[in-house]
Every structure is written in C-alpha cells, then in structure tokens.
C-alpha cells in the first residue's frame, strides 16, 4: 500500500533554554519563558521551571506536552514518597528517579531536555544534566535546550570546571558567590537571546539555598 | 483473488491497524481574549471538506458545564466526539451534587490529558482547542493542540488565527477591555481572517462567558469592503493579462 502523505509527527519542539549552576551552598536554576512552534510564538510567559521537592528544582525544554507529563509524573511519585517515608525526596534521589522515568520510555521517548538543580544531603549545590532518554551525570553547571550550544561553551570558559577524570576527585561546584552566579546566568541568557530565536522574552531565575527558594525575573529582548 | 487495485482504500483482514492521519471535515481558526468581565471567543461556522466549503452552520463553540466555553478548530467529528466525553464528565460532576463544579482550569487539564493520551496512541483527535471560562471571579483562557501542547494566555488563536490574529491582539489587547471594545477587537481579527484565510466563511458567532453565565450570539456576517481602486480595473498595470 503506497503512503500518500507524510506521517503525522507526535513530537514538536517548543524551544527554550535552561541553565543550572551549582555553588558551595546554593544552586541557581534558570530558563527563558518563551514557548514557540515552528516560526510562531505561542506564548511569551510560560514557565519551564518546576519545583519537584523542597531542595530540588527541574528546568526542562523541548516538547512541552512531554515536559508537562514528566513533571506531573515526578510530582505524583514525590507525593507517594512523602506519604511512605514522611520526608522530602533528596536531590540525588530525585535525579535517579528522573533518569529511570526517562529510560522507561526509551522506545517512545519524552522529548524533554532537563537540568535538575538543588542541594544535596550535605547542603552543597548539585546540578544533574540529562539527555532525552535518561543518561545523566552530576556536574557543576549545565545548559540544555535550543540555546545550549551558545551558552555551554561560555560557561565552560567562565567556570573552568576540573576534569571529572582527575584523581583524587575534585569539586565541580563553582567558587563564585551566589550573586556572581546569578549575574553570570543573566549574561548567558542576554547573549543567547541575541542569536537563538527560541530564547527570548523573559528570564526566570530560581535560587535554592539554605534559606529556601527565591525567584526573580529579568526582561530579555522580545524579538 | 482480489486485485491490488480493488484493495486500495479498503481495509483487508490481515492489514496492519490504521489510525486517523488525515482530517476530513475541518473548521478553521478560533480566536479568544480575556476582557474585563470574562472571556470573549469567536469562530466562524464553516466546515470545509478539503477545498470545498461543505457546511456553513457548524457550531464550533459550545458551553461546557456552568463555567466554561470550548471552541475547536480542526476535524469536526473529533470535536463532536470530545463533546460526548465532556458530556459524560459534566454529568458525573453534577451527580456528585455537592455544590462543586468543574471549572475552566480543571477542564483544560482534562482536555490536555485526553489529547496527550490519544497522541501517545498515535491516534490523535485532530483539533486545536480553546478553553475559556470564569469561576469565582478568576478568568481563565487556555489552548490545547492535537499533540497535547497546552498553555494559558490573555489571548489565544488557533490555526491561521495564530499567524494573522495574534499580532493584532498583541498590539491592541490590554487589561480590562470593555465588552464593546473586546467585540470590536475580535471582529477586527475575524475580518482579517475572512479576507486572508480561504477556509473562512462570513458567518460567525461570538461567545461571551462571565461569572453570570454564557451567551453565544446568533450567527451574523461581518461587513467587508472590496471597493479598492486596484480591484476596479485589475489589469490596468498589465494589459492582456487576466
């Protein structure tokens, strides 16, 4: 039987960029707020950041329906965990859960590019970075999404992370202060916005530290 | 022994399972915006069968429950199927008889899940849905696409409306539009769509939802203007062309 039309695609890329940076006792997670499809903008004010647990925040870009489904699933699993263990899930624990959840759909993936940020069990900042099917790694900083190719080399240059292959293992978290890290993130997005059409409008920054969660916004170019 | 020609278009017993990949009777754009007292939504009444405008009295906006309006573009039969699902949902909601009722946020969430799950089965409901409503003074306006992409905004439009109407809305929409201004703005968008979208028909309904309830207007036509000098003598610049 000849196919007369291209198969409809279950995926779409709604664009956007996410960044996370881990510090000695804080973690910065940031994402833009534009949602696009093809060359159109769907909305200029959509949050890509989701708080999964008290000390664990996820930012995801890619196909928004899959991202939403993933966030719902993880939130539901966290609720069950809280009921069963009477405590919040740790960030490394959530990191493993996210990886397993993604791999579960290895043969019809969640088209979702995630960075997980938070504080580990010792209160140190941690960032985990993922691909669409669940490969993950703990790192000192990461970016995912349409602007990641523009931002990642810049972060590599500025944050000079030691090689994970070194022995003895060296800390990947940045010695920068919280304010400096937030400023760096703002610079990253201001630059990515110039050249990536899917990154724009507004930047949402979430900072996690021992004082709790703090959220701020910065305007980006809207074109 | 059936010939290959006879089999084309028919489903044989050993064929792989087929799923809808093409829409047949479709509706074009739906445009909606938030205004001072609630939501205004507009859609024309056309149902196209490919390039033929086959049906001219299709109601593409329906009230759902007490608090919401649902507008749909895309495959009309899938919209009708969705309405059946929603009927059942609202029925069960009413049967609780507990003073609570599903609001627009809940319906939007329900629709998103339905659309996403159908997409997961590779059998989408071929619609772009606009869900608007007011509950307890909170205005809500959202959209869901056929693959489950969803969001909320102060103004939304499906299909061609996204390209032609949204820029007008971005420029002229503001918080606390009056009812008259909201209708004027929507009519401006629908007029542009009428001029430029080939599947648009000049018979539309504007629906309004506020805390008090829903009103869907009687169908009416927009005034159009074709008296441009360039149209009077179209070959003026190129004699001999048609």
């Amino acid at each position: 039987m000849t196919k007369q039309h291209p198969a409809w695609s279950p995926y779409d890329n709604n664009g956007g960029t996410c960044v996370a940076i881990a510090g000695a006792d804080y973690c910065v997670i940031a994402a833009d707020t534009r949602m696009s499809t093809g060359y159109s903008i769907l909305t200029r004010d959509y949050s890509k950041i989701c708080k999964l647990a008290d000390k664990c925040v996820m930012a995801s870009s890619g196909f928004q329906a899959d991202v939403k489904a993933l966030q719902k699933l993880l939130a539901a699993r966290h609720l069950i965990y809280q009921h069963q263990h009477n405590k919040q899930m740790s960030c490394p624990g959530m990191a493993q859960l996210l990886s397993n959840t993604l791999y579960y759909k290895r043969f019809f993936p969640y088209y979702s590019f995630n960075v997980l940020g938070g504080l580990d069990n010792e209160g140190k900042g941690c960032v985990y970075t993922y691909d669409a099917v669940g490969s993950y790694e703990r790192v000192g900083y990461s970016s995912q999404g349409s602007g990641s190719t523009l931002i990642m080399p810049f972060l590599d240059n500025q944050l000079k992370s030691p090689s994970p292959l070194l022995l003895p293992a060296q800390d990947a978290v940045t010695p920068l202060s919280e304010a400096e890290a937030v400023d760096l993130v703002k610079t990253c997005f201001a630059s990515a916005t110039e050249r990536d059409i899917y990154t724009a409008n507004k930047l949402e920054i979430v900072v996690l530290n021992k004082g709790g969660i703090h959220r701020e916004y910065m305007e980006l170019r809207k074109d | 022994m059936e010939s290959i020609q006879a089999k084309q278009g028919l489903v044989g017993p050993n064929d792989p399972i087929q799923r809808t990949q093409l829409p047949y009777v479709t509706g074009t754009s739906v445009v909606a915006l938030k205004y001072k007292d609630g939501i205004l939504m507009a859609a024309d009444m056309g149902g196209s069968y490919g390039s033929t405008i086959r049906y001219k009295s299709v109601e593409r906006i329906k009230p759902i429950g007490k608090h919401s309006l649902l507008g749909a573009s895309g495959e009309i039969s899938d919209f009708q199927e969705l309405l059946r699902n929603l009927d059942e949902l609202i029925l069960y909601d009413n049967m609780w008889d507990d003073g609570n009722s599903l609001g627009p946020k809940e319906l939007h969430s329900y629709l998103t899940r339905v659309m996403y799950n159908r997409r997961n089965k590779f059998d989408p409901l071929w619609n772009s849905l606009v869900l608007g409503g007011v509950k307890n003074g909170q205005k809500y306006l959202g959209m869901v696409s056929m693959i489950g992409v969803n969001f909320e905004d102060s103004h939304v439009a499906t299909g061609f409306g996204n390209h032609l109407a949204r820029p007008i809305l971005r420029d002229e929409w503001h918080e606390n539009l009056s009812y008259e201004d909201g209708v004027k703005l929507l009519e401006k968008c629908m007029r542009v769509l009428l001029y430029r979208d080939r599947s648009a028909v000049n018979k539309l309904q504007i629906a309004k939802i506020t805390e008090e309830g829903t009103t869907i207007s009687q169908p009416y036509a927009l005034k159009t203007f074709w008296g441009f000098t360039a149209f009077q003598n179209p070959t003026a610049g190129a004699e001999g062309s048609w």
Side-chain angles (χ1 to χ4, degrees):
Chain A
M1 217 74 103
T2 49
K3 244 200 213 153
Q4 277 134 359
H5 53 271
W8 148 96
S9 169
Y11 292 113
D12 189 14
N13 189 352
N14 300 118
T17 310
C18 312
V19 166
I21 301 180
D25 62 350
Y26 66 86
C27 187
V28 178
I29 302 103
D32 71 314
T33 63
R34 172 175 282 187
M35 193 164 116
S36 331
T37 177
Y39 284 116
S40 291
I41 300 174
L42 287 173
T43 186
R44 296 181 184 270
D45 198 5
Y46 186 83
S47 173
K48 297 183 183 62
I49 301 183
C50 175
K51 179 182 149 190
L52 296 174
D54 269 352
K55 295 202 167 76
C56 185
V57 170
M58 176 171 83
S60 320
S61 73
F63 174 43
Q64 187 265 351
D66 275 348
V67 167
K68 214 36 179 304
L70 191 59
Q71 287 172 350
K72 272 188 169 233
L73 222 168
L74 293 170
R77 288 298 301 271
H78 185 234
L79 192 59
I80 295 171
Y81 182 92
Q82 285 180 290
H83 289 155
Q84 289 174 342
H85 301 276
N86 198 21
K87 65 174 181 176
Q88 294 275 323
M89 209 187 270
S90 68
C91 193
M94 188 57 88
Q96 184 69 59
L97 179 62
L98 174 53
S99 171
N100 293 353
T101 308
L102 289 168
Y103 196 80
Y104 201 77
K105 290 220 328 142
R106 170 66 175 78
F107 299 110
F108 183 18
Y110 289 109
Y111 192 80
S112 166
F113 299 97
N114 314 294
V115 281
L116 199 69
L119 302 172
D120 67 11
N121 296 316
E122 294 153 17
K124 269 206 337 228
C126 62
V127 169
Y128 295 89
T129 189
Y130 295 79
D131 73 356
V133 286
S135 315
Y136 81 114
E137 187 190 8
R138 181 172 175 176
V139 288
Y141 58 89
S142 181
S143 79
Q144 289 284 350
S146 56
S148 66
T149 47
L150 299 168
I151 293 179
M152 204 58 181
F154 179 61
L155 288 179
D156 286 333
N157 176 269
Q158 294 295 304
L159 296 174
K160 287 198 186 67
S161 196
S163 167
L165 302 168
L166 284 173
L167 283 173
Q170 285 192 27
D171 226 351
V173 300
T174 175
L176 285 178
S177 76
E178 189 183 300
E180 285 172 325
V182 169
D183 205 54
L184 179 62
V185 160
K186 290 180 178 174
T187 311
C188 285
F189 272 89
S191 309
T193 305
E194 295 288 320
R195 292 291 180 176
D196 176 25
I197 59 174
Y198 298 112
T199 303
N201 283 125
K202 221 163 54 172
L203 171 63
E204 185 183 2
I205 306 174
V206 170
V207 181
L208 269 168
N209 54 30
K210 61 177 172 303
I213 282 194
H214 163 72
R215 193 179 297 247
E216 73 178 272
Y217 294 93
M218 182 183 93
E219 291 295 320
L220 296 171
R221 281 183 68 148
K222 299 178 198 325
D223 60 359
Chain B
M1 199 95 92
E2 285 174 293
S3 68
I4 306 294
Q5 282 83 1
K7 256 197 125 218
Q8 256 171 15
L10 298 171
V11 182
N14 297 317
D15 284 350
I17 297 174
Q18 293 178 334
R19 299 277 185 236
T20 310
Q21 298 287 12
L22 279 179
Y24 286 96
V25 180
T26 55
T28 184
S29 328
V30 178
V31 189
L33 48 79
K34 281 188 190 169
Y35 78 108
K36 186 161 55 89
D37 305 321
I39 311 288
L40 281 168
M41 197 183 294
D44 68 23
M45 301 190 76
S48 308
Y49 183 62
S51 50
T52 322
I53 298 179
R54 174 69 182 81
Y55 302 102
K56 293 197 191 174
S57 297
V58 181
E59 286 190 18
R60 298 196 290 115
I61 304 180
K62 293 284 187 185
I64 312 286
K66 289 205 287 269
H67 304 285
S68 316
L69 275 175
L70 175 63
S73 67
E75 174 63 57
I76 301 294
S77 63
D78 282 348
F79 177 48
Q80 290 169 342
E81 181 67 21
L82 213 43
L83 289 174
R84 284 168 63 90
N85 283 344
L86 286 166
D87 268 345
E88 194 186 349
L89 187 73
I90 299 294
L91 183 68
Y92 276 96
D93 188 38
N94 289 339
M95 291 206 301
W96 283 110
D97 198 21
D98 60 357
N100 272 323
S101 49
L102 288 170
K105 220 181 258 229
E106 290 84 59
L107 281 175
H108 189 213
S109 186
Y110 173 78
L111 288 169
T112 308
R113 289 297 110 220
V114 167
M115 301 301 270
Y116 184 68
N117 277 299
R118 290 291 296 256
R119 162 261 183 201
N120 284 348
K121 293 193 282 198
F122 276 79
D123 182 15
L125 287 165
W126 206 281
N127 295 111
S128 284
L129 304 169
V130 174
L131 199 295
V134 192
K135 190 177 173 197
N136 297 333
Q138 295 273 45
K139 299 184 284 236
Y140 186 91
L141 181 59
M143 223 188 93
V144 194
S145 80
M146 77 164 119
I147 42 176
V149 172
N150 73 297
F151 60 95
E152 237 198 284
D153 211 337
S154 316
H155 46 77
V156 296
T158 67
F160 262 99
N162 200 33
H163 293 98
L164 297 173
R166 246 19 234 292
I168 301 175
L169 293 166
R170 286 206 178 101
D171 203 23
E172 300 186 23
W173 181 90
H174 58 85
E175 214 53 77
N176 293 321
L177 275 168
S178 70
Y179 172 71
E180 290 74 28
D181 284 342
V183 170
K184 260 212 286 269
L185 188 49
L186 269 184
E187 284 188 343
K188 185 172 185 177
C189 295
M190 296 306 283
R191 187 170 290 112
V192 170
L193 286 167
L194 186 59
Y195 284 132
R196 291 293 176 179
D197 178 5
R198 72 140 186 213
S199 13
V201 297
N202 196 3
K203 185 174 169 192
L204 67 143
Q205 290 179 302
I206 293 199
K208 165 180 83 130
I209 184 163
T210 62
E211 192 74 56
E212 281 79 51
T214 328
T215 336
I216 303 186
S217 74
Q218 284 301 311
Y220 68 102
L222 292 169
K223 287 197 183 54
T224 55
F225 178 71
W226 300 95
F228 296 100
T229 42
F231 291 172
Q232 316 297 26
N233 201 5
T235 62
E239 299 298 335
S241 71
W242 57 94

